[in-house]
Amino acid sequence: MATPHQPAQVPTTPQRPPRLPTATMALVAVLLIIPCAGLALVPIYSRETPRLWGWPFFYWYQMMWVLITPAMTYAAFVVIKRARSER
């Protein structure tokens, strides 16, 4: 409650960061969609050959994406971080 000597404080809403350029957002979207598409298209990797160290293609293809996905996610993070620091 405001006193006669002190005005009431109006709560302020946090400021949103400025929007990133469309090209940056498109690059981030591509980096994040590639792993999703690579794993969602099951007919591409639903087979046994070629084998890698005795592992059927079905398994090593998915394990490959376990390594690629965090790398692409980190790349998207770096792109956004750099775009925000340039502003």
Side-chain angles (χ1 to χ4, degrees), residues 35 38-39 44-45 52 55 57-71:
L39 288 167
I44 290 175
Y45 61 92
L52 181 66
W55 284 39
F57 183 72
F58 180 80
Y59 293 113
W60 70 259
Y61 179 84
Q62 291 178 64
M63 293 305 291
M64 176 187 70
W65 283 105
V66 168
L67 301 174
I68 293 172
T69 300

Side-chain angles (χ1 to χ4, degrees), residues 6-77:
Q6 193 176 33
Q9 291 186 359
V10 177
T12 59
T13 57
Q15 294 295 321
R16 294 176 74 191
R19 290 185 62 91
L20 295 174
T22 305
T24 301
M25 294 308 294
L27 176 59
V28 168
V30 168
L31 286 170
L32 296 176
I33 288 173
I34 288 173
C36 294
L39 288 167
L41 301 171
V42 178
I44 290 175
Y45 61 92
S46 180
R47 58 187 176 180
E48 284 197 34
T49 57
R51 290 181 170 268
L52 181 66
W53 301 305
W55 284 39
F57 183 72
F58 180 80
Y59 293 113
W60 70 259
Y61 179 84
Q62 291 178 64
M63 293 305 291
M64 176 187 70
W65 283 105
V66 168
L67 301 174
I68 293 172
T69 300
M72 291 192 144
T73 303
Y74 180 72
F77 167 75

